[in-house]
């Protein structure tokens, strides 16, 4: 029996089929761009993202433990994950993966490889209605802030931006004064701005870059330690 041509067995990417030069920027995506739909389609389209992602054991375990925690399971799960790799080690890709799972909920069941993640997690379904917040230290400018001129409140701190993404005006009002004064909120305030009726996924990337830029303000208010070591009190939060 004649062998099939290789291009009928493994379909090349569009850029190869169409003779387009490789755009290296596609492999240095920011998580904020994924959230806002500004990243390449390979990252913003979750079905396409999972189709092109090889689920290593590390990625599968990480995703499985995340959705277990979001489902309210506290045994053999962590509330906080610290991802540490060398540059280009796949941290942002891993964060994008769990972001799409949390955002997709039950719709994620149709994506490639999600059945393996569910099997590893011992679950039948991806939890629905999870709230997500994304903070990327290289993207967020605390001098200019975000909002203020678009009908949303001005946010100048990580906690202000996270609260706004999780619960809009209702959550942000709990940290509005902290945001203005650049003083980090403590446990009682953090619990107050978190939605009470659903799980939350908070994804933070490039934190060292942010702390390095604003170290004078952060160290003056002792916020740096709290920013890097947030106690989430065993709540259903990653």
């Amino acid at each position: 029996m004649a062998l099939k041509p290789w291009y009928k067995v493994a379909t090349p990417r569009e850029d190869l089929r169409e003779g387009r030069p490789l755009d290296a920027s596609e492999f240095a995506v920011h998580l904020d761009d994924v959230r806002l739909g500004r990243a390449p389609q390979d990252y913003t389209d979750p079905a396409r993202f999972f189709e092109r992602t090889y689920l290593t054991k590390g990625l599968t375990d990480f995703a499985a433990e995340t959705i277990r925690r979001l489902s309210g399971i506290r045994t053999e799960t962590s509330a906080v994950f610290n991802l540490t790799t060398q540059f280009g080690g796949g941290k942002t890709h891993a964060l994008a993966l769990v972001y799409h799972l949390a955002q997709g909920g039950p719709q994620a069941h149709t994506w490639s490889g999600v059945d393996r993640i569910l099997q590893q997690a011992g679950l039948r379904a991806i939890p629905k209605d999870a709230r997500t917040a994304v903070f990327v230290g290289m993207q967020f400018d605390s001098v200019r802030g975000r909002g203020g001129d678009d009908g949303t409140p001005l946010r100048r701190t990580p906690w202000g931006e996270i609260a706004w993404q999780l619960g809009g005006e209702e959550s942000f009002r709990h940290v509005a004064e902290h945001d203005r004064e650049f003083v980090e909120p403590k446990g009682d305030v953090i619990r107050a701005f978190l939605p009470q009726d659903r799980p939350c996924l908070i994804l933070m990337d490039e934190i060292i870059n942010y702390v390095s830029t604003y170290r004078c303000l952060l160290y003056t208010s002792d916020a740096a330690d709290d920013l890097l070591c947030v106690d989430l009190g065993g709540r259903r939060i990653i």
Side-chain angles (χ1 to χ4, degrees), residues 147-169:
D149 57 358
D150 60 356
T152 67
L154 178 66
R155 289 97 63 196
R156 297 184 57 241
T157 65
W159 42 89
E161 178 65 11
I162 288 171
W164 173 257
Q165 290 185 35
L166 288 179
E169 291 275 6

Side-chain angles (χ1 to χ4, degrees), residues 184-214:
E184 83 285 355
K186 300 299 185 181
D188 288 346
V189 178
I190 293 174
R191 281 187 287 272
F193 78 62
L194 295 172
Q196 303 300 307
D197 59 346
R198 64 194 66 196
C200 299
L201 177 69
I202 300 173
L203 302 172
M204 305 182 77
D205 202 5
E206 304 290 351
I207 298 302
I208 297 300
N209 182 285
Y210 178 83
V211 172
S212 177
T213 300
Y214 299 104

